Amino acid sequence: MEDKRILYVSSEVVPYLAENEVSLMSYDVPKMVNDQGGQIRIFMPRYGNINERRHQLHEVIRLSGMNLVVNDLDMPLIIKVASIPKERIQVYFIDNDEYFKRKATFSDEEGVLYQDNDERAIFFAKGVVETVKKLNWVPDIIHVHGWLASLLPIYMKHYYKDEALFSDTKIITSIYGQSFEGNLDMEMINKIKFDGIPHEAIQLLETPNYENLIAASVAHSDGVIIASESLTPSLTKFIESSGKPFLPFASKDKFAEAYTTFYKSMLS
C-alpha cells in the first residue's frame, strides 16, 4: 500500500475512546497501512468525553470557521487535530458545541440514544468531506467504520457526486455487529432529503434503525468488509445479495493480509 492515500472515517477510535470492535479496528487498520508506507488520515467526532489535554488536541484555525447546514440550520464547524503517540498518525476531530460537547458518545446516562444522533451523523459526514476538500488531499480509498459515520457514502454518491477531487476515490464500509436498539429520529430521512438526496436512494431510512442505516451505507459503497462475527443473518444476506465486492470476516491475526489484498483489488 506504499504511497496510497487512505482516509479513515470512524465514529470511534482508540486511544481516544474505550476499546470495542469499532474503535480497535479503526486504529489497527490505519496503523497497518501506515506501517506499509501508505499515507493516511483519520477523522472522528470530538465527543465531550475525549480528554483534550491528555491527548493534546488543538484547534486548526485555518480549517475551522466554516458553517455547515443541517436541516436548514447553520452549524459552526470546528476542526481539532492530534497525533497518536509513537505512530506518527494524524487524527482530525470534527467538533461542534451543539452536537459534541456532552460528556458521552451516543446516549445519556440512562442509555437513551441522543435525539439528535441523526443530525450529528449528517454534520459529521459533511464536516469530513468539507475538511478534506480544504486540505486538498485526494484519497484513493475512503474506509468507513461505525454507524455514526454511515451517512458518508450516501453523501459522497449524491451531495458530493460532482466533486472532481473524489472522482477516482473508492468507498469501502466495514460492517460491525448491532450497535444500538430502536430507531434514530423518524424525521431523519427528511433531513437528508433536505440536502437534495432522492427519496428512492434512502428509502430504507424511513425506519432509521441500525440495520437499515448500515444497509443504506452498503448500497452506496464500492466495497464492503465484514468486520464482525456477530452480524445478523438478514444483514449478512443483504451484503451478499448487494452485488458489491465484499471481504468475509478475517480474524485479528489474518486481517492485515486480507485487507491489503482487498484494498488492492478495489484499486485495480
Side-chain angles (χ1 to χ4, degrees):
M1 296 308 294
E2 194 161 0
D3 293 331
K4 293 296 180 212
R5 293 181 166 196
I6 304 188
L7 171 64
Y8 291 92
V9 184
S10 180
S11 51
E12 302 166 83
V13 183
V14 296
Y16 304 104
L17 292 169
E19 292 186 2
N20 61 34
E21 230 173 14
V22 177
S23 64
L24 284 166
M25 284 309 274
S26 300
Y27 168 80
D28 288 341
V29 184
K31 181 187 183 312
M32 170 200 80
V33 173
N34 198 47
D35 291 347
Q36 293 176 4
Q39 298 179 44
I40 63 161
R41 299 277 187 277
I42 301 175
F43 276 75
M44 69 177 290
R46 204 291 301 177
Y47 307 101
N49 53 350
I50 292 173
N51 188 318
E52 292 202 24
R53 186 174 295 164
R54 188 169 77 229
H55 295 297
Q56 298 181 344
L57 272 68
H58 58 271
E59 187 177 344
V60 187
I61 302 297
R62 72 184 176 89
L63 297 175
S64 300
M66 237 185 307
N67 273 21
L68 304 179
V69 177
V70 178
N71 200 29
D72 208 18
L73 285 175
D74 270 2
M75 307 303 282
L77 173 65
I78 301 162
I79 302 296
K80 292 174 179 167
V81 73
S83 289
I84 295 179
K86 300 198 277 281
E87 294 300 338
R88 297 199 311 278
I89 293 176
Q90 212 160 36
V91 181
Y92 291 82
F93 295 84
I94 300 291
D95 199 4
N96 169 274
D97 284 349
E98 185 76 25
Y99 288 139
F100 295 113
K101 197 160 185 132
R102 61 201 79 151
K103 295 287 184 195
T105 47
F106 311 123
S107 49
D108 62 22
E109 317 72 77
E110 311 293 316
V112 177
L113 286 170
Y114 289 127
Q115 183 66 30
D116 62 356
N117 274 337
D118 59 331
E119 294 184 14
R120 297 165 97 208
I122 293 169
F123 185 87
F124 182 50
K126 286 181 162 181
V128 169
V129 182
E130 295 296 346
T131 305
V132 174
K133 279 166 58 182
K134 263 196 172 177
L135 289 168
N136 203 26
W137 191 78
V138 184
D140 296 298
I141 290 172
I142 298 175
H143 191 167
V144 176
H145 299 258
W147 66 267
L148 198 85
S150 64
L151 295 185
L152 190 113
I154 296 168
Y155 273 79
M156 287 293 291
K157 298 293 186 189
H158 294 284
Y159 192 76
Y160 292 107
K161 69 178 186 294
D162 298 324
E163 286 289 345
L165 194 72
F166 304 111
S167 57
D168 296 321
T169 301
K170 298 291 185 213
I171 302 171
I172 296 173
T173 297
S174 275
I175 310 298
Y176 297 88
Q178 183 92 6
S179 295
F180 68 86
E181 301 294 333
N183 296 321
L184 300 185
D185 184 12
M186 297 305 280
E187 279 298 305
M188 180 177 194
I189 190 168
N190 293 325
K191 295 173 190 176
I192 298 171
K193 279 162 63 179
F194 177 84
D195 287 322
I197 295 171
H199 185 92
E200 59 273 17
I202 48 170
Q203 217 162 344
L204 283 163
L205 299 181
E206 285 176 3
T207 305
N209 59 27
Y210 177 77
E211 201 157 301
N212 287 343
L213 208 57
I214 298 306
S217 189
V218 167
H220 289 85
S221 299
D222 299 302
V224 180
I225 293 176
I226 296 175
S228 174
E229 283 183 286
S230 60
L231 290 200
T232 61
S234 53
L235 200 47
T236 305
K237 190 176 172 189
F238 181 88
I239 293 164
E240 289 171 350
S241 63
S242 68
K244 309 282 180 180
F246 75 91
L247 179 69
F249 178 74
S251 58
K252 191 88 167 169
D253 55 334
K254 297 202 176 76
F255 89 87
E257 189 182 343
Y259 280 42
T260 303
T261 304
F262 190 70
Y263 280 166
K264 287 177 177 171
S265 74
M266 292 300 300
L267 293 173
S268 60

